[in-house]
Amino acid sequence: MTGPAPGPSGARREQPSAPASAHERGAKARRGSVDPVRALMHRHRELCARAVDPLEIAAGLEAHGVTDRTAARFRHRDVFSLAEELYARVPRDGDGGDAAPRQKTAPARPWALRAVLGLLPLLPGALAAATVIGAYRTGALAVGAAGAVLTAGALWPCLRRGPLGTGGRRGRTSRRGGRSANRSAGRFAGLLTALFAALPGALCTGWLLAYAACGDWLLAGLIGRTDGAPGPFAPGPFAAGPYDPGAACEAAVVLCLAVAPAAWCARWFAIRARRRLAASSGLDEFAAGVRPLCAAAALAFLLALPPLVLTARLTVPGAAADPTAEAGIAALAGLLFLARLLTVHGFRAAAATGTAAACAAEAAVLGAAGAARLPGCAALGEPVRRLAAAHGTAALPAVACGAAALALLVYACAALSRASAHTAPTTPPTPSPPPIPTRSTSMSDETTAPHAIPGEARR
């Protein structure tokens, strides 16, 4: 009985086998020498190991440039499906390898504590209104100073934790503890980094608040005549008149009262965006659903401002209705809300840029009015004088803050539609040192692992 005819190299040719099924061909492709998902898993191992759920991995991948088209090269329909496989394959503390995804849910807070935390943003506005009323009735400066300190103390936890807080946006540290000196140095470096990162935004916010307090009074003294009479601009001596703290008190009360709707709108947006992230099947679908939510949150905050302005006007004795000044306060509140919303979701530089643009516009107005007092430079102050004569000095900061707020709203609708904006930021993936195979490692494992060292595999 004769066997198969030998081939050109002298080896016997095998009989052709039955064609493999589609499932076997897919399995063989996944068991090939190159596993693209495994390579991606090792590249983002720290992100996958720290993730609480697959949504956090999807957001991290999207932040590093992985799109649905990129996920198709890994044999997945979208980034969310790829994130689910990475979450299942990367072992975590207490997992035994390729275990099924398990959600880590935090224990629910008591309803009383949730109610207290929900009503906490009302405290700064209540303290500010009580301070203004007490200071006007007693006429004592100490009452105003003490009330300002208490209001700032109530405002600090609202901006530190909760929907308006940035404490949860810090990158998570590794669970492997090192020496105490290294940990202390790392905390000190992180504190310095956080301070330098928050410094531009804090300076811009301080300028905006200072201009709201005394900017109109200073501008009125610089431009002098605002009666709109024809003729060249010839300001006289600086004579702004006595300073009236009523406008500053009204602005302070409005901004402090606006903390509550800002916190509630930010929380509503975060919860809705998180639900949309869980229900979406792709990044494009998620972005299309989040943009209306961002616009709705900004619109809800703006609709809450008119009652707050009316309340602030009633707290200041003798305050007259000034639609232009009140529009400027509302524009400032909207600008600060959008800047804080971007900061909370990780876009601190964009928030600082928007507030800096408003500061630059207000500084340019004051600079032009001051430069007009120099000999031969009277024409520089003519546009400022005409605008102030037509609409009042409060129209200038209203235009500056309104334009900056509109620009931030357009940017926020685009930036907050990314999945990476709705999860805690993670540090960029750093490649971990490849493990050295032991002598008991099989040759098949060494050849299939993409991270194996070629020199070690030959030993």
Side-chain angles (χ1 to χ4, degrees):
M1 184 175 181
T2 60
S9 60
R12 296 182 182 273
R13 285 183 289 187
E14 299 292 340
Q15 294 291 340
S17 58
S21 63
H23 177 72
E24 293 176 353
R25 288 196 304 268
K28 185 180 295 184
R30 295 300 296 268
R31 291 195 303 265
S33 59
V34 178
D35 185 358
V37 177
R38 188 171 185 178
L40 186 68
M41 178 181 64
H42 282 276
R43 192 182 310 162
H44 300 279
R45 175 171 291 274
E46 294 184 3
L47 169 65
C48 300
R50 290 193 303 264
V52 178
D53 52 18
L55 297 179
E56 189 170 348
I57 299 179
L61 293 177
E62 191 263 349
H64 290 96
V66 179
T67 61
D68 292 340
R69 183 175 299 179
T70 308
R73 297 202 299 264
F74 296 96
R75 306 181 183 94
H76 285 275
R77 67 180 186 275
D78 50 40
V79 178
F80 296 97
S81 177
L82 177 60
E84 289 178 357
E85 180 177 352
L86 292 176
Y87 184 81
R89 293 180 63 177
V90 174
R92 283 165 296 278
D93 294 344
D95 292 344
D98 294 350
R102 296 186 299 178
Q103 292 277 356
K104 296 181 181 179
T105 58
R109 293 174 177 175
W111 66 271
L113 180 59
R114 293 199 302 268
V116 170
L117 294 179
L119 297 178
L120 181 62
L122 292 172
L123 186 57
L127 289 177
T131 300
V132 171
I133 294 175
Y136 267 95
R137 287 187 176 181
T138 60
L141 184 61
V143 175
V149 172
L150 292 178
T151 304
L155 189 61
W156 173 256
C158 297
L159 300 180
R160 180 63 179 172
R161 297 293 179 184
L164 299 179
T166 57
R169 294 297 304 178
R170 293 181 181 178
R172 299 178 184 177
T173 56
S174 176
R175 294 183 180 180
R176 297 180 179 179
R179 295 183 178 181
S180 59
N182 294 335
R183 289 197 298 266
S184 301
R187 291 174 182 175
F188 182 71
L191 179 61
L192 288 181
T193 303
L195 289 177
F196 280 111
L199 185 59
L203 292 178
C204 294
T205 303
W207 170 274
L208 293 175
L209 296 179
Y211 192 96
C214 58
D216 294 341
W217 171 78
L218 180 61
L219 181 61
L222 289 175
I223 61 179
R225 187 183 61 190
T226 59
D227 53 1
F233 178 53
F238 180 84
Y243 175 72
D244 183 15
C249 293
E250 183 177 352
V253 174
V254 170
L255 294 178
C256 290
L257 289 175
V259 173
W264 297 336
C265 292
R267 179 176 177 80
W268 177 86
F269 172 72
I271 293 176
R272 294 290 180 175
R274 187 71 177 180
R275 291 178 181 175
R276 178 70 64 175
L277 180 62
S280 300
S281 59
L283 296 179
D284 294 337
E285 178 184 351
F286 172 74
V290 169
R291 292 190 190 100
L293 295 179
C294 181
L299 180 61
F301 177 76
L302 292 179
L303 292 178
L305 289 179
L308 303 183
V309 171
L310 179 60
T311 304
R313 189 196 308 166
L314 296 177
T315 58
V316 180
D322 188 354
T324 305
E326 293 172 352
I329 298 174
L332 175 59
L335 174 61
L336 295 180
F337 168 70
L338 291 172
R340 194 62 186 178
L341 189 64
L342 287 172
T343 302
V344 167
H345 289 276
F347 299 95
R348 190 185 296 270
T353 303
T355 53
C359 293
E362 293 178 349
V365 169
L366 293 178
R373 292 180 166 272
L374 299 176
C377 300
L380 295 177
E382 186 64 22
V384 178
R385 184 185 73 88
R386 290 184 179 274
L387 183 59
H391 304 285
T393 55
L396 300 172
V399 172
C401 294
L406 183 60
L408 280 188
L409 177 60
V410 174
Y411 180 85
C413 290
L416 298 183
S417 63
R418 306 174 188 173
S420 58
H422 303 279
T423 183
T426 56
T427 55
T430 56
S432 57
I436 300 177
T438 59
R439 294 182 181 275
S440 61
T441 305
S442 61
M443 182 60 68
S444 61
D445 292 336
E446 293 174 359
T447 56
T448 57
H451 61 273
I453 303 176
E456 295 290 341
R458 292 193 297 267
R459 294 181 183 175

